[in-house]
């Protein structure tokens, strides 16, 4: 994906000014939603290293592989709870579309060493 392409996260920005700077460590997510969007973009672009690095160490898997990753096609943020710059925790409910269907999840995030990280989530119908 080129930096000038639309960002996979669904915001009206180019990838190079939206989620890519988070992926390469040029800036940190300001909110839980920002991290959710950046993680979705990382899945969509195959950057599983970013996904792994932003997963809470207590809950993340030992490794991630691209073998079982669907082809992601779109993201809808349905709701957020807390997760703002001054918060310690946050939740984001989203629907992630892929070629074979959708993933509807309520994800939980926490601040760790001043940075947002994904903790876990509940799959919803």
């Amino acid at each position: 994906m080129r930096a000038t392409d639309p960002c996979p996260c669904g915001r009206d920005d180019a990838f190079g000014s939206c989620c890519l700077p988070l992926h390469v460590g040029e800036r940190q997510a300001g909110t839980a939603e920002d991290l959710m969007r950046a993680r979705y973009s990382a899945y969509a672009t195959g950057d599983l290293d970013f996904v792994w690095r932003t997963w809470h160490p207590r809950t993340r898997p030992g490794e991630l592989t691209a073998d079982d990753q669907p082809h992601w096609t779109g993201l809808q943020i349905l709701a957020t709870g807390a997760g703002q710059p001054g918060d310690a925790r946050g939740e984001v409910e989203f629907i992630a579309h892929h070629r074979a269907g959708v993933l509807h999840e309520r994800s939980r995030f926490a601040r760790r060493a001043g940075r947002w990280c994904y903790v876990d989530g509940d799959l919803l119908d």
Side-chain angles (χ1 to χ4, degrees):
M1 169 164 277
R2 296 180 319 220
T4 56
D5 289 342
C7 193
C9 83
R11 287 192 168 137
D12 291 331
D13 295 316
F15 180 54
S17 61
C18 191
C19 289
L20 181 61
L22 280 74
H23 292 183
V24 298
E26 291 177 1
R27 73 171 198 264
Q28 297 299 313
T31 66
E33 180 182 342
D34 291 342
L35 182 59
M36 173 64 238
R37 289 180 178 277
R39 285 173 56 84
Y40 172 83
S41 291
Y43 274 114
T45 61
D47 186 355
L48 296 183
D49 183 55
F50 177 80
V51 173
W52 193 85
R53 285 191 331 267
T54 58
W55 207 315
H56 196 288
R58 188 184 73 228
T59 59
R60 73 177 164 218
E63 66 178 334
L64 296 174
T65 62
D67 297 342
D68 58 351
Q69 295 301 316
H71 179 84
W72 299 102
T73 60
L75 177 67
Q76 291 175 271
I77 302 295
L78 301 178
T80 61
Q84 297 304 306
D87 295 329
R89 300 194 179 283
E91 289 188 355
V92 179
E93 182 180 348
F94 68 92
I95 296 176
H97 298 267
H98 55 87
R99 286 188 180 159
V102 298
L103 170 71
H104 184 185
E105 181 176 309
R106 183 174 298 115
S107 295
R108 285 178 285 280
F109 297 84
R111 279 201 173 284
R112 185 170 189 275
R115 297 179 181 198
W116 285 107
C117 59
Y118 170 80
V119 176
D120 61 16
D122 296 319
L123 294 178
L124 306 170
D125 292 330

